[in-house]
Amino acid sequence: MNGGSPLGSWDVAIILVYVVVIIAIGLAVSRRQRTASDYFLAHKSKTWPVIGLALLASNISSTTLIGLAGAAYDHGIAVFDYEWMAGIVLVFFCIFLLPFLLKTGVYTTPEFLERRYDRRSRLLFSGLTLFLNIAVDTAGTLYGGALMFQLAFPAVPMGVIVLLLALGAGIYTTAGGLAAVMVTETIQAVLLLTAAAVIAVMAFSQAGGWDAVMAATKPEMLSLIRPANDPVLPWTGLVTGVPLIGFYFWCTNQFMVQRVLSAKSIDHGRWGCLFAGLLKLPVLFLMVLPGTAALLLFPGLPRGDLVYPSLVFKLLPAGVVGLVVAGFLAAIMSATASTFNSASTLVTMDFVRLRWPHLGEKRLVTTGRLATLAFMALAVLWAPQIARFGSLWQYLQAILAYAVPPVVALFLVGLFWARANATGAFAAFAGGLALGLGLFVYCVVLGHGGPHFLLMAPVLVLASALILVVVSLATGEGKPGARPSKEGAALVWTPAVFRAETATLAGQPLWMNYRVLSLGLVGLTAILVWWFR
């Protein structure tokens, strides 16, 4: 790439039109946001196609596009394990947790923890989520986007690019809340998939076709199941760490779950989740394997994070580059808008409304808008600091592996064991966080090494779960014979819940039965994993 911009006038025009149209649509939706339910949960009126596409658009950020292609280039396609596992995790979510979340009518997942345990767990979880929203989700997305656009506009400083990206998503998010975010995400998901398909076709075409890429690539680079001593993604981490991190991300992370909370019914919530799981399967061909084709096209790149920009700017003709960059921008804006909106929801509902419970609807919405602006500023300041870390993808996954195990333990144990109590939950959350932070500093920050982060995650989950069980049994609420609180007991899954649901589903056509659809998704996933085992 030379010192000038690789974008032609048509490319720039396409990008500008996209930005103007998306912001205009978002602002148009904002006119209808009058109540807290409107602003934070999009009227609770969303149907399954919108939910599924919004989940995909929220998940596929700039870090995903750059990270997947780069990881495939550096280490092979095993990075796709994070993607296909999403479908399995979402099936679990649909069966066990989603009905409780929707029936309780909560605005946030930390609010659900308060219903199950007490306010201490809610505030701890909300605070942790806010930190991860800024330090991991939003900042990572903005930094990944800035890497790409700095190549497109080399004369513009990274800080300015980050600011413009944040403003682009923040304008309509601040005005329109979740409804504006989900409407724009639906459009962005279609554009994102279209752009990814264009890159995939061009990459394989220029590399000599599918057979040529497969023949020239080492077998281990095309394997989803790696040896136990693999430094990137050992199979032991695949069966333990990946599902646990996936459970946090898809089942408890506010910026994903909030889309499901907007569902008009439990059925639409479930169908939307399963649709999102289905949409994750083509990611292997659209976003991962083009990174493998890049081994033939661009051998010797200094780092994998340059693969995706190279595919865009070196392969595509003028005009098409604009379409693909607009798709990349769609990924940035949708993911950024998602995290801004979820963070503002957490601040408003988990902190402000608790402190001032009599605030009116308009003031709650105003608070959410002010919180969005504040998080925009924080993300813009932090995003450039991610350059201090190595691989963007490793940065994201490693932080989650050390930070979220207590959350996973509280949800999983509390979902299936009624005697888990508030005191045990607080002890497990505080103790698990302290242990995770200490190990992160020792192993990652100070560089002393240790188990793979995917193996560290299950250890920390087990440690947190053990604290929860021991403290619950040692305190009055959890002793044998003691009864859990009425509200907490109502949020514990039992076989009776399954039997009651079976009766409800008996009159439903098979094509609408989420259990049948779940089996279909698991079957398709198994076929794909076996093919690339």
Side-chain angles (χ1 to χ4, degrees), residues 38 87 101 123 254 283 314 364 406 428 431 461 469 474:
D38 291 344
L101 286 169
L123 296 178
Q254 177 68 18
V283 165
K314 291 186 177 181
L364 287 174
V461 169
V469 171

Side-chain angles (χ1 to χ4, degrees), residues 220 223 225-231 233-237:
E220 61 268 24
S223 174
I225 312 298
R226 306 296 285 268
N229 62 352
D230 186 78
L233 213 162
W235 72 264
T236 47

Side-chain angles (χ1 to χ4, degrees), residues 413-428:
V413 175
L415 188 60
F416 297 106
W417 190 50
R419 288 160 63 185
N421 67 23
T423 304
F426 179 74

Side-chain angles (χ1 to χ4, degrees), residues 224-279:
L224 293 174
I225 312 298
R226 306 296 285 268
N229 62 352
D230 186 78
V232 177
L233 213 162
W235 72 264
T236 47
L238 170 60
V239 299
T240 56
V242 174
L244 292 173
I245 294 175
F247 176 81
Y248 160 77
F249 184 83
W250 291 97
C251 307
T252 72
N253 188 351
Q254 177 68 18
F255 96 87
M256 299 304 295
V257 176
Q258 193 166 344
R259 276 118 200 83
V260 185
L261 296 179
S262 72
K264 66 185 297 184
S265 68
I266 289 178
D267 277 337
H268 277 278
R270 282 171 163 159
W271 298 335
C273 288
L274 297 177
F275 184 39
L278 179 65
L279 291 173

Side-chain angles (χ1 to χ4, degrees), residues 62-88:
S62 61
T63 57
T64 310
L65 293 172
I66 291 175
L68 290 178
Y73 184 91
D74 286 337
H75 308 294
I77 67 169
V79 68
F80 178 66
D81 289 330
Y82 292 100
E83 305 303 305
W84 68 258
M85 188 63 75
I88 307 302

Side-chain angles (χ1 to χ4, degrees), residues 25-341:
I25 292 172
L27 291 176
V29 174
S30 71
R31 297 174 184 174
R32 299 193 296 271
Q33 313 313 305
R34 294 184 176 87
T35 68
S37 178
D38 291 344
Y39 189 79
F40 296 112
L41 293 183
H43 328 286
K44 293 187 178 180
S45 62
K46 296 305 176 187
T47 56
W48 66 266
V50 174
I51 293 169
L53 288 168
L55 286 171
L56 179 75
S58 298
N59 172 237
I60 303 296
S61 65
S62 61
T63 57
T64 310
L65 293 172
I66 291 175
L68 290 178
Y73 184 91
D74 286 337
H75 308 294
I77 67 169
V79 68
F80 178 66
D81 289 330
Y82 292 100
E83 305 303 305
W84 68 258
M85 188 63 75
I88 307 302
V89 170
L90 283 169
V91 167
F92 179 91
F93 180 56
C94 288
I95 296 172
F96 298 108
L97 183 55
L98 182 152
F100 290 129
L101 286 169
L102 291 180
K103 286 177 181 177
T104 53
V106 296
Y107 280 85
T108 70
T109 48
E111 184 182 352
F112 179 82
L113 271 194
E114 181 179 17
R115 304 283 184 94
R116 178 60 184 88
Y117 298 112
D118 70 357
R119 185 161 295 179
R120 293 173 298 175
S121 295
R122 175 181 184 175
L123 296 178
L124 269 178
F125 182 29
S126 192
L128 175 64
T129 304
L130 287 170
F131 168 76
L132 293 175
N133 273 173
I134 299 304
V136 178
D137 299 318
T138 308
T141 297
L142 292 175
Y143 174 73
L147 285 178
M148 175 84 158
F149 280 97
Q150 203 163 37
L151 295 173
F153 303 100
V156 182
M158 174 174 282
V160 174
I161 295 175
V162 168
L163 176 62
L164 292 175
L165 292 174
L167 284 174
I171 290 172
Y172 64 82
T173 306
T174 303
L178 184 62
V181 171
M182 290 188 70
V183 169
T184 55
E185 279 178 340
T186 304
I187 300 168
Q188 288 163 332
V190 175
L191 180 58
L192 173 63
L193 291 172
T194 303
V198 170
I199 290 179
V201 170
M202 292 296 294
F204 276 94
S205 175
Q206 294 294 318
W210 176 270
D211 291 338
V213 173
M214 295 297 107
T217 306
K218 296 177 181 178
E220 61 268 24
M221 296 285 283
L222 293 171
S223 174
L224 293 174
I225 312 298
R226 306 296 285 268
N229 62 352
D230 186 78
V232 177
L233 213 162
W235 72 264
T236 47
L238 170 60
V239 299
T240 56
V242 174
L244 292 173
I245 294 175
F247 176 81
Y248 160 77
F249 184 83
W250 291 97
C251 307
T252 72
N253 188 351
Q254 177 68 18
F255 96 87
M256 299 304 295
V257 176
Q258 193 166 344
R259 276 118 200 83
V260 185
L261 296 179
S262 72
K264 66 185 297 184
S265 68
I266 289 178
D267 277 337
H268 277 278
R270 282 171 163 159
W271 298 335
C273 288
L274 297 177
F275 184 39
L278 179 65
L279 291 173
K280 295 292 282 182
L281 296 183
V283 165
L284 174 61
F285 304 98
L286 298 179
M287 300 174 194
V288 178
L289 283 169
T292 304
L295 288 167
L296 279 68
L297 296 168
F298 313 115
L301 288 176
R303 67 180 194 274
D305 287 348
L306 293 175
V307 170
Y308 185 84
S310 297
L311 288 169
V312 173
F313 295 130
K314 291 186 177 181
L315 284 188
L316 304 180
V320 177
V321 172
L323 171 66
V324 171
V325 172
F328 183 79
L329 187 57
I332 298 170
M333 294 178 71
S334 59
T336 304
S338 300
T339 49
F340 284 159
N341 181 247

